[in-house]
Amino acid sequence: MKARYLIRIDDACHTMDRTKWQLMEDILDEFNIKPIVSVIPESRDPGFMLDEPDEGFWNKVRAWQSKGWTIALHGYTHQLHETESPMILPYYKRTEFAGLPYEKQAAKIRASWNIFNEHRVTPKIWVAPAHTFDKITLHAIRNETDIKFISDGIALDVYYEYDFYWIPQQLWNLTERFSGLWTVCLHPNSMSNEEMQTFRQLVRNKFSERIISFSDVTFNKTPKTILSRLFHMHVWLQRKKIRYALSIFNNCKK
Ligand SMILES: [Zn+2]
């Protein structure tokens, strides 16, 4: 089967850059794309204080939900702390969740889930801030929410692990792939107008027929295939090599 793509847009919050988000929404609407949108219910991340607090933010989230966008619970406050703690996907050494005791993680997840509920929004997917979380986080999500899906992980298609369905997220730009399911993660708050227009052109010229929505994905309880495991190993090895090369380069500069 030809490659299929999901679009995920991250870091929607009441102080997001509304002009950029509207531009992204217009592009997605133009091609009838229904993305996964990661919502921070109580953002206190200074990096996202980009506009005056929007009184109508939750109306907007409900409107997204009504038009078929899939809402993801993107942490609670998105305030990240440094950590050396082991994580399921150790992309970064900063996290809102990993390494915290169960009660603290559960309290955050509960508070986040309650805010969504108060505003009549039902998140279907977990998206960890900075990709960083641990098995305790998953335990808290199982106990505190109805969420069954995670958007993250390196694989070639959906898989089942730790009692969750995983939708892999492997790309940060629309990129040609031969087969499999690829989630492209975009951050409208930090995209330039030029990057927005490049995305639009790529959708229009090459990808629009292959972009699907969450409701088009079929899930079953199969673990990662051997091919997906090999791909996962390959990606993490490449990442380690790049990190090692960068550390040598940075040391040489000193
Ligand atoms: Zn984020």
Side-chain angles (χ1 to χ4, degrees):
M1 193 194 274
K2 275 197 304 187
R4 298 169 306 155
Y5 298 84
L6 283 167
I7 303 298
R8 190 180 103 191
I9 46 176
D10 275 12
D11 303 319
C13 62
H14 67 303
T15 53
M16 65 192 182
D17 186 321
R18 292 206 280 281
T19 308
K20 287 184 179 175
W21 274 81
Q22 190 57 56
L23 191 54
M24 176 55 77
E25 185 167 352
D26 292 345
I27 296 170
L28 296 171
D29 284 349
E30 183 182 347
F31 299 98
N32 197 27
I33 294 169
K34 299 180 192 319
I36 295 166
V37 55
S38 305
V39 176
I40 312 163
E42 178 86 29
S43 176
R44 291 176 211 152
D45 186 328
F48 301 140
M49 304 287 178
L50 300 166
D51 244 325
E52 289 302 308
D54 181 3
E55 298 276 318
F57 175 66
W58 287 100
N59 289 336
K60 189 179 285 277
V61 180
R62 271 194 301 277
W64 291 338
Q65 181 173 250
S66 298
K67 68 178 176 182
W69 291 21
T70 304
I71 311 297
L73 185 150
H74 191 40
Y76 174 42
T77 65
H78 208 288
Q79 286 168 300
L80 308 180
H81 62 269
E82 299 292 319
T83 183
E84 292 293 332
S85 170
M87 294 181 273
I88 293 175
L89 297 162
Y91 275 99
Y92 306 106
K93 288 179 183 290
R94 55 181 194 272
T95 184
E96 185 181 352
F97 290 89
L100 297 180
Y102 176 81
E103 265 317 316
K104 281 203 170 168
Q105 295 209 40
K108 277 174 172 286
I109 303 277
R110 191 180 313 131
S112 177
W113 179 252
N114 286 344
I115 295 171
F116 281 97
N117 283 348
E118 278 162 25
H119 293 283
R120 289 175 281 122
V121 174
T122 308
K124 289 206 166 73
I125 300 178
W126 161 255
V127 170
H131 303 268
T132 47
F133 57 108
D134 56 23
K135 289 180 191 172
I136 294 175
T137 324
L138 297 182
H139 188 45
I141 296 167
R142 270 195 299 271
N143 286 350
E144 301 292 342
T145 78
D146 296 333
I147 291 173
K148 302 273 182 277
F149 301 92
I150 294 171
S151 166
D152 219 330
I154 303 291
L156 299 167
D157 214 329
V158 293
Y159 58 98
Y160 191 76
E161 201 169 76
Y162 303 120
D163 298 327
F164 286 93
Y165 298 97
W166 294 66
I167 309 157
Q169 193 269 298
Q170 325 91 321
L171 294 175
W172 285 264
N173 282 301
L174 272 169
T175 310
E176 226 22 273
R177 291 288 183 262
F178 294 114
S179 64
L181 177 65
W182 302 84
T183 304
V184 183
C185 177
L186 303 171
H187 296 88
N189 286 324
S190 55
M191 285 172 79
S192 64
N193 280 349
E194 199 184 347
E195 286 168 328
M196 294 265 188
Q197 289 317 318
T198 303
F199 171 69
R200 182 180 175 277
Q201 295 294 340
L202 278 169
V203 172
R204 194 184 68 173
N205 298 340
K206 291 176 83 175
F207 288 92
S208 65
E209 298 296 313
R210 289 176 283 166
I211 297 174
I212 61 168
S213 69
F214 172 76
S215 60
D216 298 319
V217 182
T218 307
F219 294 95
N220 50 52
K221 292 187 175 179
T222 47
K224 253 188 194 179
T225 60
I226 290 171
L227 214 54
S228 276
R229 285 179 196 279
L230 289 172
F231 177 59
H232 172 104
M233 281 161 61
H234 166 76
V235 168
W236 284 103
L237 197 63
Q238 291 300 107
R239 204 180 150 80
K240 269 190 183 163
K241 278 187 197 165
I242 291 167
R243 275 191 171 175
Y244 182 64
L246 278 175
S247 71
I248 290 176
F249 176 72
N250 287 333
N251 280 339
C252 288
K253 278 202 308 184
K254 279 177 192 165

